[in-house]
Amino acid sequence: MPTDTSKPMKLERYNSYIRKVHSTKLLNASSKFLFRVTLLIALVLILFFTINYPPLSDNTHSAPHHHHRHSFLSTSLFSGSSLVGGAAWEKQVRHSSTPRRVNGFSVLVTGAAGFIGSHCSLALKKRGDGVLGLDNFNDYYDPSLKRARQNLLSKHQIFIVEGDLNDGPLLTKLFDVVPFTHVLHLAAQAGVRYAMQNPQSYVKSNIAGFVNLLEVAKAVNPQPAIVWASSSSVYGLNTENPFSERDRTDRPASLYAATKKAGEEIAHTYNHIYGLSLTGLRFFTVYGPWGRPDMAYFFFTKDILQGKPIDIYRTQDQKAVARDFTYIDDVVKGCLGALDTAEKSTGSGGKKKGPAQLRVYNLGNTSPVPVGRLVSILEGLLNTKAKKHVITLPRNGDVPYTHANVTLAYKDFGYKPTTDLASGLRKFVKWYVNYFGIESKHSKETQHFDESS
Ligand SMILES: O=C(O)[C@H]1O[C@H](OP(=O)(O)OP(=O)(O)OC[C@H]2O[C@@H](n3ccc(=O)[nH]c3=O)[C@H](O)[C@@H]2O)[C@H](O)[C@@H](O)[C@H]1O
Protein backbone atom coordinates (compact mmCIF):
# COMPACT_ATOMS: atom_id res chain seq x y z
CA MET A 1 0.00 0.00 0.00
CA PRO A 2 1.54 3.20 -1.02
CA THR A 3 2.17 5.57 1.82
CA ASP A 4 -0.15 8.53 1.92
CA THR A 5 2.12 11.54 1.26
CA SER A 6 -0.77 13.87 0.62
CA LYS A 7 -1.29 14.63 4.33
CA PRO A 8 2.02 16.37 5.04
CA MET A 9 1.76 18.08 1.67
CA LYS A 10 -1.73 19.31 2.48
CA LEU A 11 -0.48 20.45 5.85
CA GLU A 12 2.39 22.28 4.23
CA ARG A 13 0.01 23.88 1.70
CA TYR A 14 -2.33 24.83 4.54
CA ASN A 15 0.52 26.33 6.56
CA SER A 16 1.74 28.32 3.63
CA TYR A 17 -1.84 29.48 3.00
CA ILE A 18 -2.11 30.58 6.62
CA ARG A 19 1.21 32.44 6.35
CA LYS A 20 0.01 34.17 3.19
CA VAL A 21 -3.26 35.15 4.81
CA HIS A 22 -1.38 36.53 7.79
CA SER A 23 1.10 38.43 5.73
CA THR A 24 -1.69 39.88 3.53
CA LYS A 25 -3.58 40.84 6.68
CA LEU A 26 -0.42 42.41 8.02
CA LEU A 27 0.13 44.20 4.75
CA ASN A 28 -3.49 45.38 4.70
CA ALA A 29 -3.28 46.53 8.29
CA SER A 30 0.00 48.36 7.79
CA SER A 31 -1.13 50.01 4.56
CA LYS A 32 -4.35 51.09 6.31
CA PHE A 33 -2.23 52.48 9.12
CA LEU A 34 0.05 54.26 6.66
CA PHE A 35 -2.93 55.67 4.80
CA ARG A 36 -4.43 57.03 8.03
CA VAL A 37 -1.14 58.59 9.11
CA THR A 38 -0.74 60.25 5.70
CA LEU A 39 -4.30 61.57 5.88
CA LEU A 40 -3.67 62.94 9.35
CA ILE A 41 -0.44 64.65 8.25
CA ALA A 42 -2.22 66.15 5.25
CA LEU A 43 -5.00 67.49 7.48
CA VAL A 44 -2.50 68.95 9.94
CA LEU A 45 -0.62 70.62 7.06
CA ILE A 46 -3.83 72.07 5.58
CA LEU A 47 -4.78 73.44 9.02
CA PHE A 48 -1.30 74.92 9.50
CA PHE A 49 -1.33 76.72 6.15
CA THR A 50 -4.89 77.97 6.61
CA ILE A 51 -3.97 79.54 9.94
CA ASN A 52 -0.64 80.99 8.89
CA TYR A 53 -1.36 82.08 5.34
CA PRO A 54 -4.83 83.66 5.22
CA PRO A 55 -6.14 84.74 1.82
CA LEU A 56 -4.59 87.99 0.52
CA SER A 57 -8.01 89.63 0.63
CA ASP A 58 -7.77 89.59 4.46
CA ASN A 59 -9.30 92.86 5.57
CA THR A 60 -7.31 95.69 7.08
CA HIS A 61 -8.84 95.33 10.53
CA SER A 62 -7.68 91.75 11.03
CA ALA A 63 -5.61 90.68 14.01
CA PRO A 64 -2.09 92.15 13.94
CA HIS A 65 -0.19 88.86 13.61
CA HIS A 66 -2.34 87.89 10.63
CA HIS A 67 -1.87 91.24 9.09
CA HIS A 68 1.87 91.09 9.47
CA ARG A 69 2.02 87.91 7.43
CA HIS A 70 -0.40 89.37 4.92
CA SER A 71 1.58 92.55 4.54
CA PHE A 72 4.82 90.62 4.14
CA LEU A 73 3.36 88.49 1.39
CA SER A 74 1.60 91.28 -0.38
CA THR A 75 4.06 94.11 0.02
CA SER A 76 7.43 92.48 0.29
CA LEU A 77 6.99 90.80 -3.04
CA PHE A 78 4.68 93.06 -4.98
CA SER A 79 3.75 96.69 -4.78
CA GLY A 80 1.20 97.77 -7.32
CA SER A 81 2.62 96.75 -10.64
CA SER A 82 6.31 96.94 -9.75
CA LEU A 83 8.16 94.07 -8.14
CA VAL A 84 9.53 95.16 -4.77
CA GLY A 85 13.26 94.68 -4.77
CA GLY A 86 13.43 94.46 -8.56
CA ALA A 87 15.73 96.71 -10.56
CA ALA A 88 12.89 98.92 -11.85
CA TRP A 89 11.48 99.33 -8.35
CA GLU A 90 14.89 100.23 -6.89
CA LYS A 91 15.37 102.78 -9.62
CA GLN A 92 12.03 104.43 -8.76
CA VAL A 93 12.90 104.40 -5.06
CA ARG A 94 16.32 105.97 -5.65
CA HIS A 95 15.06 108.52 -8.14
CA SER A 96 12.32 109.69 -5.78
CA SER A 97 14.68 109.89 -2.77
CA THR A 98 17.53 111.77 -4.42
CA PRO A 99 17.81 115.43 -3.36
CA ARG A 100 18.12 118.07 -6.09
CA ARG A 101 19.77 120.74 -3.95
CA VAL A 102 23.16 120.95 -2.29
CA ASN A 103 23.04 119.31 1.14
CA GLY A 104 19.43 118.33 0.50
CA PHE A 105 17.74 115.71 2.64
CA SER A 106 16.59 112.24 1.71
CA VAL A 107 13.32 111.89 3.59
CA LEU A 108 11.20 108.81 4.08
CA VAL A 109 7.66 110.13 4.60
CA THR A 110 5.35 107.55 6.14
CA GLY A 111 1.66 108.21 5.57
CA ALA A 112 2.59 110.09 2.38
CA ALA A 113 -0.84 109.48 0.84
CA GLY A 114 -2.44 111.00 3.93
CA PHE A 115 -3.49 114.61 4.47
CA ILE A 116 -0.45 116.08 6.23
CA GLY A 117 1.92 113.55 4.60
CA SER A 118 1.00 114.54 1.05
CA HIS A 119 1.35 118.27 1.77
CA CYS A 120 4.73 117.84 3.48
CA SER A 121 6.01 115.56 0.70
CA LEU A 122 5.19 118.18 -1.92
CA ALA A 123 6.75 120.99 0.12
CA LEU A 124 9.97 119.01 0.65
CA LYS A 125 10.17 118.05 -3.02
CA LYS A 126 9.54 121.62 -4.15
CA ARG A 127 12.52 122.92 -2.19
CA GLY A 128 14.80 120.20 -3.60
CA ASP A 129 14.78 117.43 -1.04
CA GLY A 130 14.42 113.79 -2.03
CA VAL A 131 11.19 112.21 -0.83
CA LEU A 132 10.10 108.61 -0.73
CA GLY A 133 6.56 107.89 0.47
CA LEU A 134 5.28 104.85 2.33
CA ASP A 135 1.56 104.24 2.79
CA ASN A 136 -0.67 101.22 3.29
CA PHE A 137 -3.71 102.91 1.66
CA ASN A 138 -6.03 101.43 4.28
CA ASP A 139 -9.76 102.05 4.09
CA TYR A 140 -10.27 103.98 7.35
CA TYR A 141 -11.63 106.63 5.00
CA ASP A 142 -12.26 106.48 1.26
CA PRO A 143 -8.96 105.28 -0.27
CA SER A 144 -9.83 107.00 -3.57
CA LEU A 145 -8.85 110.32 -1.94
CA LYS A 146 -5.50 108.75 -0.99
CA ARG A 147 -5.08 107.56 -4.59
CA ALA A 148 -5.83 111.07 -5.85
CA ARG A 149 -3.16 112.48 -3.52
CA GLN A 150 -0.78 109.77 -4.79
CA ASN A 151 -1.46 110.88 -8.38
CA LEU A 152 -0.70 114.46 -7.46
CA LEU A 153 2.56 113.39 -5.81
CA SER A 154 3.59 111.23 -8.74
CA LYS A 155 3.21 114.27 -11.03
CA HIS A 156 5.92 115.81 -8.85
CA GLN A 157 8.18 112.75 -9.16
CA ILE A 158 7.35 111.44 -5.70
CA PHE A 159 7.00 107.67 -5.51
CA ILE A 160 4.91 106.06 -2.78
CA VAL A 161 5.77 102.50 -1.81
CA GLU A 162 2.61 100.62 -0.89
CA GLY A 163 3.30 98.84 2.37
CA ASP A 164 2.68 98.65 6.07
CA LEU A 165 4.75 100.05 8.92
CA ASN A 166 4.66 96.63 10.55
CA ASP A 167 6.43 95.07 7.57
CA GLY A 168 9.98 94.93 8.96
CA PRO A 169 11.62 93.31 5.90
CA LEU A 170 10.13 96.00 3.66
CA LEU A 171 11.40 98.84 5.88
CA THR A 172 14.85 97.25 6.06
CA LYS A 173 14.85 96.92 2.28
CA LEU A 174 14.04 100.63 1.88
CA PHE A 175 16.96 101.59 4.14
CA ASP A 176 19.20 99.16 2.21
CA VAL A 177 18.43 101.00 -0.99
CA VAL A 178 18.51 104.58 0.40
CA PRO A 179 20.55 105.96 3.33
CA PHE A 180 17.71 108.26 4.46
CA THR A 181 18.90 111.30 6.38
CA HIS A 182 15.43 111.88 7.88
CA VAL A 183 12.15 110.11 8.50
CA LEU A 184 8.97 112.17 8.69
CA HIS A 185 6.70 109.67 10.36
CA LEU A 186 3.08 110.67 9.84
CA ALA A 187 1.47 107.27 9.24
CA ALA A 188 -0.98 106.56 12.05
CA GLN A 189 -4.46 105.49 12.94
CA ALA A 190 -6.03 108.91 13.42
CA GLY A 191 -9.42 109.96 14.79
CA VAL A 192 -10.44 110.35 18.41
CA ARG A 193 -13.92 108.77 18.37
CA TYR A 194 -13.14 105.79 16.07
CA ALA A 195 -10.88 104.40 18.83
CA MET A 196 -14.01 103.13 20.60
CA GLN A 197 -15.02 101.13 17.53
CA ASN A 198 -11.65 99.69 16.53
CA PRO A 199 -9.19 99.97 19.42
CA GLN A 200 -6.79 97.37 18.01
CA SER A 201 -6.07 99.42 14.89
CA TYR A 202 -4.61 102.17 17.14
CA VAL A 203 -2.34 99.71 18.92
CA LYS A 204 -1.28 98.17 15.61
CA SER A 205 -0.37 101.44 13.84
CA ASN A 206 0.49 103.92 16.57
CA ILE A 207 2.35 101.59 18.90
CA ALA A 208 3.45 98.37 17.12
CA GLY A 209 4.05 100.17 13.80
CA PHE A 210 6.03 102.96 15.46
CA VAL A 211 8.18 100.48 17.40
CA ASN A 212 8.81 98.53 14.19
CA LEU A 213 9.99 101.69 12.44
CA LEU A 214 12.26 102.61 15.38
CA GLU A 215 13.69 99.09 15.49
CA VAL A 216 14.72 99.40 11.85
CA ALA A 217 15.93 103.01 12.22
CA LYS A 218 18.12 102.25 15.25
CA ALA A 219 19.81 99.35 13.46
CA VAL A 220 20.73 101.08 10.19
CA ASN A 221 23.88 102.97 9.49
CA PRO A 222 23.64 105.98 9.36
CA GLN A 223 20.64 106.27 11.68
CA PRO A 224 18.15 108.87 10.38
CA ALA A 225 16.79 111.75 12.45
CA ILE A 226 13.07 111.17 13.05
CA VAL A 227 10.29 113.77 13.21
CA TRP A 228 6.90 112.27 13.98
CA ALA A 229 3.25 113.13 14.58
CA SER A 230 2.08 113.25 18.15
CA SER A 231 -1.19 115.01 18.97
CA SER A 232 -2.80 117.79 20.97
CA SER A 233 -4.99 115.07 22.42
CA VAL A 234 -2.16 114.02 24.78
CA TYR A 235 -3.18 116.99 26.98
CA GLY A 236 -6.40 115.09 27.75
CA LEU A 237 -7.99 116.42 30.91
CA ASN A 238 -5.34 119.15 31.31
CA THR A 239 -6.90 122.37 32.60
CA GLU A 240 -3.95 124.72 32.16
CA ASN A 241 -4.64 127.22 29.40
CA PRO A 242 -3.04 127.56 26.87
CA PHE A 243 -1.43 124.11 26.69
CA SER A 244 2.32 124.19 27.12
CA GLU A 245 4.77 121.34 26.53
CA ARG A 246 5.56 121.51 30.25
CA ASP A 247 1.96 120.65 31.25
CA ARG A 248 0.80 117.24 32.45
CA THR A 249 0.03 114.71 29.74
CA ASP A 250 -0.74 111.70 31.90
CA ARG A 251 -4.54 111.90 31.71
CA PRO A 252 -5.52 110.99 28.13
CA ALA A 253 -9.28 111.01 27.45
CA SER A 254 -9.24 108.56 24.52
CA LEU A 255 -7.32 105.48 23.44
CA TYR A 256 -6.09 107.52 20.45
CA ALA A 257 -4.54 110.02 22.87
CA ALA A 258 -3.13 107.20 24.99
CA THR A 259 -1.39 105.64 21.97
CA LYS A 260 0.11 109.01 20.99
CA LYS A 261 1.29 109.56 24.55
CA ALA A 262 2.73 106.03 24.49
CA GLY A 263 4.57 107.06 21.31
CA GLU A 264 6.19 109.95 23.20
CA GLU A 265 7.41 107.59 25.93
CA ILE A 266 8.63 105.04 23.36
CA ALA A 267 10.52 107.86 21.62
CA HIS A 268 12.22 108.63 24.92
CA THR A 269 13.34 105.01 25.23
CA TYR A 270 14.83 104.77 21.73
CA ASN A 271 16.56 108.09 22.18
CA HIS A 272 17.97 106.97 25.52
CA ILE A 273 19.15 103.50 24.51
CA TYR A 274 20.12 103.89 20.87
CA GLY A 275 20.90 107.58 20.37
CA LEU A 276 18.10 108.21 17.88
CA SER A 277 17.31 111.89 17.29
CA LEU A 278 13.54 112.19 17.84
CA THR A 279 11.13 115.12 17.57
CA GLY A 280 7.40 114.71 18.35
CA LEU A 281 4.99 117.31 16.97
CA ARG A 282 1.68 117.79 18.78
CA PHE A 283 -0.68 118.78 15.98
CA PHE A 284 -3.84 120.73 16.87
CA THR A 285 -6.88 119.78 14.71
CA VAL A 286 -5.25 120.36 11.34
CA TYR A 287 -7.57 121.23 8.43
CA GLY A 288 -7.40 122.38 4.81
CA PRO A 289 -7.53 121.30 1.14
CA TRP A 290 -7.04 117.56 0.57
CA GLY A 291 -8.11 117.05 4.21
CA ARG A 292 -9.47 114.04 6.08
CA PRO A 293 -13.13 113.19 5.42
CA ASP A 294 -13.52 111.80 8.97
CA MET A 295 -12.92 115.25 10.50
CA ALA A 296 -15.82 117.49 11.52
CA TYR A 297 -15.11 120.48 9.19
CA PHE A 298 -15.00 118.05 6.23
CA PHE A 299 -18.16 116.05 6.92
CA PHE A 300 -20.04 119.15 8.10
CA THR A 301 -19.37 120.63 4.63
CA LYS A 302 -20.65 117.47 2.96
CA ASP A 303 -23.75 117.23 5.17
CA ILE A 304 -24.61 120.93 4.90
CA LEU A 305 -24.44 120.71 1.09
CA GLN A 306 -26.63 117.58 1.13
CA GLY A 307 -29.17 119.16 3.49
CA LYS A 308 -28.43 116.60 6.22
CA PRO A 309 -28.47 117.50 9.93
CA ILE A 310 -25.19 117.92 11.81
CA ASP A 311 -24.44 117.41 15.51
CA ILE A 312 -22.77 120.28 17.33
CA TYR A 313 -21.36 119.18 20.67
CA ARG A 314 -21.59 121.19 23.88
CA THR A 315 -19.90 120.30 27.15
CA GLN A 316 -21.76 118.56 30.00
CA ASP A 317 -22.21 121.99 31.64
CA GLN A 318 -23.58 123.39 28.35
CA LYS A 319 -20.50 125.39 27.36
CA ALA A 320 -19.27 125.59 23.77
CA VAL A 321 -16.72 122.97 22.67
CA ALA A 322 -13.73 124.70 21.04
CA ARG A 323 -10.68 123.70 19.02
CA ASP A 324 -7.44 125.42 18.11
CA PHE A 325 -8.01 124.64 14.39
CA THR A 326 -4.67 124.85 12.56
CA TYR A 327 -4.32 125.42 8.83
CA ILE A 328 -2.31 122.87 6.87
CA ASP A 329 0.21 125.33 5.37
CA ASP A 330 1.18 126.51 8.85
CA VAL A 331 1.65 122.92 9.99
CA VAL A 332 3.76 122.10 6.93
CA LYS A 333 6.07 125.02 7.80
CA GLY A 334 6.31 123.63 11.32
CA CYS A 335 7.20 120.14 10.05
CA LEU A 336 9.91 121.50 7.76
CA GLY A 337 11.24 123.70 10.58
CA ALA A 338 11.46 120.65 12.83
CA LEU A 339 13.29 118.67 10.12
CA ASP A 340 15.69 121.56 9.46
CA THR A 341 16.65 121.85 13.12
CA ALA A 342 16.79 118.11 13.83
CA GLU A 343 20.29 117.09 14.84
CA LYS A 344 21.84 113.88 13.59
CA SER A 345 21.24 110.66 15.51
CA THR A 346 24.34 109.64 17.42
CA GLY A 347 24.20 105.85 17.31
CA SER A 348 25.39 103.41 14.73
CA GLY A 349 24.81 99.72 14.18
CA GLY A 350 22.27 99.65 17.02
CA LYS A 351 24.72 101.19 19.56
CA LYS A 352 24.49 104.64 21.14
CA LYS A 353 27.64 106.75 20.83
CA GLY A 354 26.51 109.78 22.79
CA PRO A 355 23.46 111.79 23.89
CA ALA A 356 21.00 112.59 21.08
CA GLN A 357 18.31 115.21 20.60
CA LEU A 358 14.83 114.52 22.03
CA ARG A 359 12.13 117.16 21.48
CA VAL A 360 8.38 117.73 21.66
CA TYR A 361 6.57 120.78 20.21
CA ASN A 362 3.03 122.11 20.00
CA LEU A 363 2.01 123.03 16.46
CA GLY A 364 -1.30 124.86 16.91
CA ASN A 365 -2.93 128.08 15.82
CA THR A 366 -3.08 129.74 19.27
CA SER A 367 -6.72 130.89 18.94
CA PRO A 368 -9.43 128.37 19.82
CA VAL A 369 -12.74 128.67 17.97
CA PRO A 370 -16.08 127.18 19.17
CA VAL A 371 -17.49 124.47 16.90
CA GLY A 372 -20.65 126.60 16.46
CA ARG A 373 -18.50 129.36 14.95
CA LEU A 374 -16.85 126.86 12.57
CA VAL A 375 -20.35 125.93 11.38
CA SER A 376 -21.37 129.61 10.85
CA ILE A 377 -18.26 130.20 8.74
CA LEU A 378 -19.08 127.12 6.62
CA GLU A 379 -22.72 128.28 6.24
CA GLY A 380 -21.46 131.61 4.93
CA LEU A 381 -18.96 130.04 2.52
CA LEU A 382 -21.47 127.48 1.23
CA ASN A 383 -24.31 130.00 1.25
CA THR A 384 -26.48 127.32 2.84
CA LYS A 385 -28.09 127.09 6.30
CA ALA A 386 -27.02 124.04 8.30
CA LYS A 387 -29.59 121.84 10.06
CA LYS A 388 -28.01 122.06 13.50
CA HIS A 389 -28.53 119.57 16.32
CA VAL A 390 -26.89 120.90 19.43
CA ILE A 391 -26.20 117.94 21.71
CA THR A 392 -24.28 117.29 24.92
CA LEU A 393 -20.83 115.85 24.25
CA PRO A 394 -21.23 112.07 24.24
CA ARG A 395 -18.62 110.16 26.28
CA ASN A 396 -16.52 109.43 23.22
CA GLY A 397 -13.03 110.59 24.14
CA ASP A 398 -13.50 114.22 23.06
CA VAL A 399 -12.03 116.96 25.23
CA PRO A 400 -13.90 120.26 25.74
CA TYR A 401 -11.25 122.56 24.27
CA THR A 402 -7.70 122.77 22.98
CA HIS A 403 -5.42 125.80 22.89
CA ALA A 404 -1.74 125.74 21.93
CA ASN A 405 1.09 127.73 23.35
CA VAL A 406 3.64 127.65 20.51
CA THR A 407 6.42 129.72 22.12
CA LEU A 408 8.85 126.82 22.04
CA ALA A 409 8.38 126.05 18.31
CA TYR A 410 8.71 129.77 17.56
CA LYS A 411 11.94 130.04 19.57
CA ASP A 412 13.53 126.91 18.04
CA PHE A 413 12.46 127.16 14.39
CA GLY A 414 10.43 130.33 13.94
CA TYR A 415 7.02 128.62 13.84
CA LYS A 416 4.35 131.32 13.47
CA PRO A 417 0.84 130.37 12.32
CA THR A 418 -0.63 132.99 9.98
CA THR A 419 -3.95 131.60 8.75
CA ASP A 420 -7.17 132.26 10.67
CA LEU A 421 -10.07 129.80 10.51
CA ALA A 422 -12.20 131.85 8.08
CA SER A 423 -9.37 132.23 5.51
CA GLY A 424 -8.34 128.59 5.86
CA LEU A 425 -11.88 127.29 5.47
CA ARG A 426 -12.34 129.47 2.38
CA LYS A 427 -9.40 127.65 0.78
CA PHE A 428 -10.78 124.31 1.92
CA VAL A 429 -14.25 124.97 0.46
CA LYS A 430 -12.70 126.15 -2.81
CA TRP A 431 -10.81 122.85 -3.03
CA TYR A 432 -13.85 120.81 -1.93
CA VAL A 433 -16.26 122.09 -4.58
CA ASN A 434 -13.66 121.59 -7.28
CA TYR A 435 -12.52 118.18 -6.15
CA PHE A 436 -16.05 116.82 -5.89
CA GLY A 437 -17.21 118.72 -8.97
CA ILE A 438 -20.00 120.46 -7.12
CA GLU A 439 -21.97 122.70 -9.46
CA SER A 440 -22.85 125.84 -7.60
CA LYS A 441 -22.11 129.51 -7.78
CA HIS A 442 -19.02 128.73 -5.66
CA SER A 443 -17.52 126.44 -8.28
CA LYS A 444 -17.89 129.17 -10.91
CA GLU A 445 -15.84 131.44 -8.70
CA THR A 446 -13.14 128.80 -8.41
CA GLN A 447 -12.74 127.60 -11.99
CA HIS A 448 -9.06 128.47 -12.00
CA PHE A 449 -8.31 126.02 -9.24
CA ASP A 450 -4.71 125.18 -8.66
CA GLU A 451 -4.72 121.50 -7.79
CA SER A 452 -1.72 121.77 -5.52
CA SER A 453 -3.20 124.64 -3.46
O1 LIG B 1 -5.61 117.67 17.53
C1 LIG B 1 -5.53 116.47 17.44
O2 LIG B 1 -4.59 115.84 17.85
C2 LIG B 1 -6.66 115.70 16.87
O3 LIG B 1 -7.37 116.57 16.01
C3 LIG B 1 -8.51 116.00 15.44
O4 LIG B 1 -9.42 115.60 16.44
P1 LIG B 1 -10.61 116.58 16.84
O5 LIG B 1 -10.09 117.85 17.41
O6 LIG B 1 -11.54 115.78 17.67
O7 LIG B 1 -11.20 116.94 15.39
P2 LIG B 1 -12.61 116.65 14.75
O8 LIG B 1 -12.94 115.22 14.83
O9 LIG B 1 -12.63 117.28 13.41
O10 LIG B 1 -13.61 117.46 15.70
C4 LIG B 1 -13.51 118.87 15.76
C5 LIG B 1 -14.48 119.40 16.78
O11 LIG B 1 -15.81 119.14 16.35
C6 LIG B 1 -16.54 118.52 17.38
N1 LIG B 1 -17.53 117.64 16.75
C7 LIG B 1 -17.14 116.53 16.10
C8 LIG B 1 -18.03 115.72 15.47
C9 LIG B 1 -19.42 116.05 15.51
O12 LIG B 1 -20.30 115.36 14.98
N2 LIG B 1 -19.77 117.19 16.18
C10 LIG B 1 -18.88 118.01 16.80
O13 LIG B 1 -19.25 119.01 17.40
C11 LIG B 1 -15.53 117.82 18.24
O14 LIG B 1 -15.98 117.66 19.56
C12 LIG B 1 -14.35 118.75 18.14
O15 LIG B 1 -14.47 119.73 19.12
C13 LIG B 1 -8.12 114.81 14.59
O16 LIG B 1 -9.28 114.18 14.09
C14 LIG B 1 -7.34 113.81 15.39
O17 LIG B 1 -6.86 112.82 14.51
C15 LIG B 1 -6.21 114.45 16.14
O18 LIG B 1 -5.15 114.68 15.29
Side-chain angles (χ1 to χ4, degrees):
M1 200 172 116
T3 50
D4 186 6
T5 54
S6 70
K7 249 187 190 167
M9 270 178 68
K10 269 185 196 160
L11 200 69
E12 181 46 36
R13 264 209 304 271
Y14 176 74
N15 281 343
S16 106
Y17 166 75
I18 292 293
R19 274 199 302 274
K20 229 186 233 166
V21 166
H22 275 172
S23 70
T24 317
K25 264 191 189 164
L26 210 69
L27 208 69
N28 275 348
S30 60
S31 60
K32 258 187 206 161
F33 175 71
L34 262 174
F35 174 70
R36 282 183 188 153
V37 168
T38 317
L39 201 70
L40 198 71
I41 291 174
L43 279 173
V44 168
L45 279 176
I46 289 170
L47 202 70
F48 176 81
F49 279 103
T50 316
I51 290 170
N52 286 282
Y53 298 91
L56 290 183
S57 58
D58 192 11
N59 87 36
T60 48
H61 304 320
S62 59
H65 62 286
H66 282 193
H67 192 266
H68 177 78
R69 182 80 64 179
H70 167 197
S71 80
F72 178 75
L73 282 177
S74 58
T75 62
S76 287
L77 303 178
F78 296 99
S79 175
S81 56
S82 53
L83 192 63
V84 169
W89 178 85
E90 283 199 18
K91 200 175 160 200
Q92 269 179 307
V93 166
R94 280 209 185 86
H95 182 257
S96 190
S97 317
T98 306
R100 312 273 158 213
R101 67 177 170 104
V102 182
N103 295 326
F105 301 159
S106 274
V107 190
L108 173 66
V109 179
T110 72
F115 170 38
I116 303 176
S118 56
H119 280 275
C120 286
S121 297
L122 284 170
L124 288 165
K125 196 75 178 184
K126 278 180 185 163
R127 69 177 206 180
D129 291 323
V131 177
L132 181 74
L134 176 72
D135 206 293
N136 70 1
F137 292 89
N138 72 25
D139 61 0
Y140 166 61
Y141 61 78
D142 185 2
S144 71
L145 179 56
K146 301 179 184 184
R147 294 293 173 190
R149 296 186 191 121
Q150 180 185 30
N151 283 341
L152 179 59
L153 264 56
S154 78
K155 283 184 196 147
H156 291 83
Q157 318 295 315
I158 302 168
F159 178 49
I160 302 183
V161 172
E162 190 166 343
D164 198 280
L165 275 181
N166 287 289
D167 189 340
L170 175 65
L171 294 187
T172 305
K173 175 83 199 162
L174 296 179
F175 277 92
D176 279 350
V177 177
V178 181
F180 293 105
T181 56
H182 297 76
V183 176
L184 182 58
H185 172 50
L186 302 173
Q189 176 59 62
V192 174
R193 292 168 288 279
Y194 180 65
M196 291 175 73
Q197 286 173 51
N198 190 1
Q200 293 303 336
S201 68
Y202 289 78
V203 178
K204 194 172 83 181
S205 295
N206 304 357
I207 298 183
F210 190 29
V211 169
N212 199 47
L213 173 70
L214 294 172
E215 277 294 310
V216 173
K218 71 123 206 267
V220 296
N221 212 349
Q223 291 175 334
I226 300 173
V227 174
W228 68 282
S230 183
S231 159
S232 71
S233 65
V234 300
Y235 290 106
L237 308 181
N238 179 43
T239 48
E240 301 296 321
N241 195 5
F243 302 170
S244 138
E245 291 86 349
R246 288 182 306 274
D247 293 345
R248 280 179 69 175
T249 52
D250 56 353
R251 290 169 296 178
S254 65
L255 182 69
Y256 168 69
T259 60
K260 286 295 181 181
K261 173 66 182 170
E264 294 188 358
E265 307 302 342
I266 290 166
H268 178 272
T269 308
Y270 277 78
N271 170 269
H272 173 68
I273 304 180
Y274 301 109
L276 277 175
S277 160
L278 277 147
T279 304
L281 302 175
R282 294 176 179 166
F283 296 143
F284 283 69
T285 316
V286 186
Y287 72 98
W290 295 97
R292 272 172 38 208
D294 63 310
M295 289 184 67
Y297 73 94
F298 200 117
F299 64 76
F300 282 172
T301 301
K302 179 167 176 259
D303 291 345
I304 292 170
L305 286 170
Q306 292 179 354
K308 290 187 185 156
I310 57 171
D311 289 336
I312 298 177
Y313 299 152
R314 286 184 75 79
T315 61
Q316 307 287 334
D317 49 356
Q318 297 309 307
K319 291 200 185 103
V321 168
R323 285 289 177 276
D324 197 3
F325 296 100
T326 310
Y327 188 63
I328 182 65
D329 290 0
D330 290 326
V331 164
V332 169
K333 283 186 203 140
C335 291
L336 268 53
L339 285 167
D340 288 339
T341 51
E343 289 168 8
K344 285 196 164 90
S345 291
T346 62
S348 73
K351 290 240 161 43
K352 184 177 179 177
K353 297 275 159 65
Q357 195 181 33
L358 180 69
R359 307 181 294 172
V360 164
Y361 294 103
N362 287 343
L363 290 187
N365 191 52
T366 71
S367 49
V369 176
V371 178
R373 170 78 188 128
L374 164 90
V375 173
S376 322
I377 297 170
L378 286 176
E379 288 179 319
L381 291 167
L382 301 167
N383 200 17
T384 311
K385 270 260 158 266
K387 294 192 176 113
K388 290 174 260 189
H389 270 172
V390 179
I391 60 168
T392 303
L393 200 61
R395 290 204 188 282
N396 55 13
D398 264 330
V399 292
Y401 71 91
T402 60
H403 183 184
N405 173 336
V406 298
T407 316
L408 196 59
Y410 176 70
K411 181 168 80 64
D412 287 1
F413 45 87
Y415 173 75
K416 202 170 190 281
T418 56
T419 314
D420 63 34
L421 187 59
S423 329
L425 283 178
R426 178 176 293 280
K427 291 183 186 172
F428 164 71
V429 167
K430 185 176 166 183
W431 168 81
Y432 186 97
V433 296
N434 277 279
Y435 181 78
F436 291 104
I438 289 157
E439 267 309 312
S440 72
K441 56 177 174 255
H442 309 285
S443 51
K444 286 196 196 91
E445 285 164 20
T446 55
Q447 269 164 3
H448 305 295
F449 170 67
D450 168 18
E451 64 179 359
S452 62
S453 68

